[in-house]
Amino acid sequence: MLGALVIGCAQPQPPDAAFTAPTLRGAFEGAFLVGAALNAAQFSDQDTLGAAIVKAQFNSITPENVLKWAAIHPRPGTYDFAAGDRYVAFGERNGMFIVGHNLVWHNQTPRWVFEDSTGTPVNRDTLLARLRDHIRTVVGRYRGRIKGWDVVNEALDDDGTLRRTPWLTILGEDYLATAFRFAHEADPDAELYYNDYALENAPKRRGAVELVRRLEDQGVPITAVGLQNHDRLDWPSPAQEDSTIDAFARLGVRVMITELDVDVLPPARAPGANPFVDRLPDSLQQALARRYAELFASYLRHRGTVTRVTFWGVTDRDSWLNNWPVRGRTNYPLLFGRDGRPKAAFAAVVRTAPAHERRDEGRDD
Ligand code: G3I
């Protein structure tokens, strides 16, 4: 049945199909929010096509880069809120559930955070004071407006142990609990998330389950676990996705799919690693559609636990996967093509939705 569905929707969509029903946010209304990560061009309305797709299709937004430490707090005592303010204003103008990404990470955090003026690592008290100042200032500025924060991002290694970052080596294992407490102090009503990738793999998932259990035992206010879902055509399996969501549901936290995309390119850096410069072959376009349909079927099996599904980008043109793990490739990981048109995968996703089925009932067309 899925095969027929995908072949049936492989026709090119008209250009305005990105702005007419069915839409993603309409299709999944009552099941979960559907979001996208935005770059500055989109929330500043410079990328008019991208901004229009966001307004039509999504009801939640996440900032791809502008709230990260390096962007918003580049130097000691210097905060730059210009882009963050525009991001939040865009979300409010368009009635979006606004997410903050992120407060504590080992990436996109300036070296000065961990060092004194001579380049020597700072002590625990100094780093704690910097962390508290950062979280109070940033979360405090958007208090009541940013509704949920990725408080700690990617703190685990593949084997499920805590990643050896400067946060861990200088502050010790309780830095995660501390960050959540600072965030809760700064906005007691904000939802607070632990966000990571590849938690579908058993060792890392076990580590994350332990981590969440420890936080809960310590009375830390954690709302949800973010499963990034930077996926491939053959990973993770629907069974892995199901059991991962179930594992966190058993702990009583919600689950959010926070950075969804599906990489269709070969992983190698070898010559020939950029095979689809002009277009994605139909067979792969359809494989991507089937893949997205099976992922959404898994998310829908867990409605009630999964409360948001956010794509990491709007159109294929914007995706970080055009530059990782190899710079300058042409990837096709999202639901909207470079021209803004919905791809076969868009229709396949919408067809998984209960609201879409209801809307189709009694229609002649
Ligand atoms: O801002 C500089 C700019 O000044 C410079 O001219 C340009 C030249 O390369 O680089 C710009 O910085 C880039 C930055 O994005 C802002 O656009 C960095 O090179 C680039 O590496 C950075 O990539 C971001 C990446 O996080 C950094 O790790 C991606 O856009 C962003 O999509 C990606 O997002 C992460 C999530 O936050 C966490 N989970 C994984 C996800 C994908 O890596």
Side-chain angles (χ1 to χ4, degrees):
M1 185 202 154
L2 194 54
L5 176 163
V6 170
I7 289 161
C9 62
Q11 309 297 326
Q13 303 276 326
D16 60 356
F19 313 114
T20 54
T23 63
L24 295 169
R25 64 172 194 209
F28 295 98
E29 202 178 335
F32 38 70
L33 297 172
V34 189
L38 305 194
N39 59 37
Q42 290 152 350
F43 62 71
S44 307
D45 280 305
Q46 285 157 7
D47 172 5
T48 50
L49 178 63
I53 295 172
V54 172
K55 292 171 196 173
Q57 295 286 342
F58 299 99
N59 49 21
S60 176
I61 55 173
T62 301
E64 189 178 1
N65 284 299
V66 300
L67 291 186
K68 291 172 180 173
W69 195 309
I72 203 162
H73 191 182
R75 286 174 297 284
T78 302
Y79 286 89
D80 179 357
F81 293 116
D85 288 357
R86 279 202 302 278
Y87 163 74
V88 173
F90 176 93
E92 288 183 332
R93 270 201 311 279
N94 295 291
M96 306 275 179
F97 181 93
I98 305 172
V99 177
H101 174 85
N102 54 50
L103 296 172
V104 180
W105 196 20
H106 58 280
N107 239 330
Q108 289 176 288
T109 305
R111 289 173 66 119
W112 67 259
V113 175
F114 307 111
E115 295 176 352
D116 66 17
S117 54
T118 69
T120 310
V122 292
N123 63 27
R124 186 170 191 278
D125 286 348
T126 303
L127 187 56
L128 268 182
R130 288 179 181 176
L131 181 62
R132 167 174 253 165
D133 168 70
H134 178 83
I135 291 180
R136 277 189 168 174
T137 306
V138 176
V139 175
R141 183 174 184 90
Y142 302 114
R143 180 178 172 143
R145 303 171 73 197
I146 287 185
K147 304 290 187 192
W149 276 98
D150 290 332
V151 178
V152 180
N153 198 41
E154 302 172 6
L156 291 164
D157 266 326
D158 288 343
D159 66 0
T161 61
L162 284 178
R163 195 191 280 266
R164 293 197 67 73
T165 66
W167 294 114
L168 178 65
T169 49
I170 299 174
L171 295 183
E173 293 197 0
D174 63 350
Y175 83 87
L176 294 100
T178 304
F180 276 83
R181 292 210 168 97
F182 288 163
H184 187 62
E185 275 167 28
D187 186 349
D189 294 328
E191 297 181 351
L192 304 180
Y193 317 133
Y194 174 72
N195 189 49
D196 211 333
Y197 61 88
L199 297 184
E200 289 79 5
N201 294 337
K204 195 168 182 179
R205 182 198 316 164
R206 275 197 292 274
V209 165
E210 276 313 302
L211 175 65
V212 172
R213 200 174 275 143
R214 274 201 307 277
L215 291 173
E216 290 181 333
D217 288 348
Q218 295 169 284
V220 170
I222 176 170
T223 315
V225 170
L227 304 179
Q228 293 186 2
N229 273 241
H230 291 296
D231 291 346
R232 304 192 59 83
L233 286 170
D234 59 358
W235 178 92
S237 69
Q240 281 176 304
E241 196 61 36
D242 286 337
S243 55
T244 305
I245 297 170
D246 284 337
F248 293 110
R250 280 197 293 274
L251 297 176
V253 287
R254 287 191 252 148
V255 171
M256 295 172 188
I257 309 300
T258 52
E259 305 189 12
L260 176 60
D261 48 29
V262 178
D263 189 347
V264 299
L265 295 185
R269 288 163 186 271
N274 188 20
F276 311 122
V277 175
D278 297 324
R279 60 185 290 274
L280 192 64
D282 285 346
S283 58
L284 270 177
Q285 199 74 262
Q286 290 172 31
L288 182 69
R290 283 193 298 274
R291 178 65 173 139
Y292 264 115
E294 78 181 8
L295 287 169
F296 270 77
S298 168
Y299 308 151
L300 281 167
R301 279 194 288 279
H302 300 90
R303 38 190 307 191
T305 297
V306 172
T307 54
R308 171 167 58 89
V309 177
T310 291
F311 292 84
W312 204 244
V314 179
T315 76
D316 286 341
R317 194 184 43 172
D318 318 311
S319 171
W320 71 293
L321 288 171
N322 295 310
N323 290 306
W324 191 92
V326 185
R327 266 199 177 276
R329 296 203 296 181
T330 307
N331 214 327
Y332 301 84
L334 296 166
L335 299 190
F336 298 92
R338 286 174 167 68
D339 56 4
R341 291 174 199 227
K343 296 156 59 175
F346 171 89
V349 162
V350 166
R351 279 179 194 272
T352 65
H356 177 69
E357 285 164 18
R358 279 200 303 276
R359 203 176 13 249
D360 270 2
E361 278 169 19
R363 266 199 182 180
D364 298 332
D365 52 355

